[in-house]
Amino acid sequence: MIPQPGFGTYKLGDHAYDAISSAIELGYRHLDTAQYYFNEDIVGRAVNDSAVPRGQLFVTTKVWHDRLNQRDFLPSVEESLEKLQLDYVDLLLVHWPEPTGQVPMAEYLDELAKAKQQGLAKHIGVSNFTIKLLDEAVDILGPGEILTNQIEVHPFLQNSRVRAHCAQLGIQVTGFMPLARGRVFEDDTLRRIAQRHGVSPADIAVAWENQLGVITIPASTKVANQQANLAALNITLSDADMADIAALDRGQRLADSDFAPAWD
Ligand SMILES: NC(=O)c1ccc[n+]([C@@H]2O[C@H](COP(=O)([O-])OP(=O)(O)OC[C@H]3O[C@@H](n4cnc5c(N)ncnc54)[C@H](OP(=O)(O)O)[C@@H]3O)[C@@H](O)[C@H]2O)c1
């Protein structure tokens, strides 16, 4: 349902248009953006300029946490669509749970559901939701409505409990920062496994997420890296490789902030 892999578009800087265009050309069919990345206009330009028909692309955007209230939510989605030059996104996510307690979850999830009902989004989901928040969200929206929970997943933060809970709820996990923003290159175990497979530690991280059944969304400004991350889906890791990587979990969270929820 969600194309594997996705292409992350956070912090592509001046390379954004070229990077997104080359990713589409190479075969990525899923683009991950957000209001907060301030690049929806560039994603839109790359999508509209590409030779790939809109229907074959899967575009995700996310509503920032200061626009979750009923007054701002849907206008912000309209604004995103305008920047993206699209009639709809394939997936609309709540980027972070509302941090202040001033907007009840039922209020913003109702708006999220309305975005789908109004055809602004084909699918809806959440990001950075904990087990408790996911249960609350499913109570509000009903089962089967939340397509994905996009959370940080890489060998040093494997988020196993949240992943297991998502599996129980029938929610697909999308893993962000699969390469731990390059830290996978510093790890001896990943380097050893990579050497055995004749690839790089980044390829091993992507292959590992794929093998876990997680949708992976690596970002890269370089065509060679984009290509390698695509090709990594063809790598099969052995049970021993998977066990060695499982042992690397050290709860190293990279995307944290003072507005984050109480993590599992
Ligand atoms: N929902 C959320 O709260 C949230 C938070 C963070 C991120 N995200 C999403 O997840 C996406 C991915 O996370 P991220 O961009 O932060 O980090 P990432 O994908 O873990 O790492 C990106 C870094 O890895 C390098 N890289 C990529 N492929 C490589 C390869 N094959 N070999 C060597 N280096 C490679 C890139 O450099 P080069 O450009 O030089 O290749 C870049 O510096 C984001 O773009 C965004 O879409 C979501």
Side-chain angles (χ1 to χ4, degrees):
M1 166 77 81
I2 306 178
Q4 171 81 311
F7 183 69
T9 68
Y10 187 43
K11 288 191 174 166
L12 297 176
D14 292 343
H15 305 279
Y17 177 83
D18 289 344
I20 297 160
S21 301
S22 64
I24 296 172
E25 213 166 300
L26 286 172
Y28 287 84
R29 291 294 174 264
H30 164 192
L31 305 171
D32 183 77
T33 183
Q35 293 172 351
Y36 182 71
Y37 302 168
F38 299 102
N39 66 3
E40 288 171 310
D41 53 336
I42 302 173
V43 172
R45 216 155 31 86
V47 163
N48 283 298
D49 290 352
S50 96
V52 177
R54 166 69 184 101
Q56 289 177 26
L57 290 168
F58 187 99
V59 179
T60 301
T61 197
K62 315 184 190 81
V63 178
W64 192 238
H65 63 72
D66 63 356
R67 307 184 84 180
L68 294 177
N69 66 79
Q70 197 210 350
R71 198 194 55 222
D72 294 336
F73 193 109
L74 287 174
S76 89
V77 178
E78 301 272 11
E79 197 182 307
S80 287
L81 290 175
E82 211 169 296
K83 289 182 180 158
L84 286 161
Q85 299 174 59
L86 296 176
D87 301 331
Y88 66 91
V89 286
D90 297 274
L91 179 59
L92 181 68
L93 304 180
V94 168
H95 203 150
W96 288 86
E98 205 281 333
T100 65
Q102 280 170 10
V103 185
M105 193 190 288
E107 179 175 328
Y108 63 83
L109 291 187
D110 277 357
E111 297 308 299
L112 184 69
K114 273 188 215 160
K116 182 175 165 188
Q117 284 152 17
Q118 293 177 12
L120 308 178
K122 293 256 191 241
H123 305 280
I124 54 176
V126 295
S127 178
N128 297 300
F129 269 43
T130 59
I131 290 173
K132 179 169 166 282
L133 294 170
L134 279 173
D135 284 342
E136 234 180 287
V138 171
D139 277 350
I140 293 166
L141 288 172
E145 271 306 301
I146 299 172
L147 183 63
T148 195
N149 184 22
Q150 185 180 122
I151 53 173
E152 183 173 341
V153 181
H154 48 70
F156 315 126
L157 178 73
Q158 302 189 7
N159 248 324
S160 311
R161 286 182 53 220
V162 184
R163 285 194 287 109
H165 198 69
C166 285
Q168 271 174 18
L169 294 173
I171 295 173
Q172 173 75 60
V173 172
T174 303
F176 69 69
M177 284 190 189
L179 314 180
R181 292 208 69 89
R183 285 167 182 78
V184 292
F185 283 90
E186 295 155 18
D187 184 83
D188 286 343
T189 302
L190 293 174
R191 283 210 290 240
R192 183 173 44 75
I193 297 171
Q195 204 169 21
R196 219 178 24 243
H197 286 267
V199 297
S200 83
D203 299 331
I204 297 300
V206 170
W208 170 75
E209 281 208 348
N210 185 41
Q211 222 157 301
L212 288 179
V214 169
I215 301 291
T216 185
I217 52 172
S220 174
T221 55
K222 302 195 174 73
V223 174
N225 289 348
Q226 294 176 1
Q227 208 153 19
N229 296 341
L230 263 185
L233 299 183
N234 300 319
I235 297 168
T236 304
L237 298 172
S238 67
D239 290 348
D241 293 337
M242 292 299 282
D244 286 348
I245 300 170
L248 297 179
D249 194 3
R250 53 185 187 231
Q252 186 180 9
R253 192 176 294 280
L254 302 175
D256 211 352
S257 67
D258 51 6
F259 55 76
W263 298 114
D264 294 293

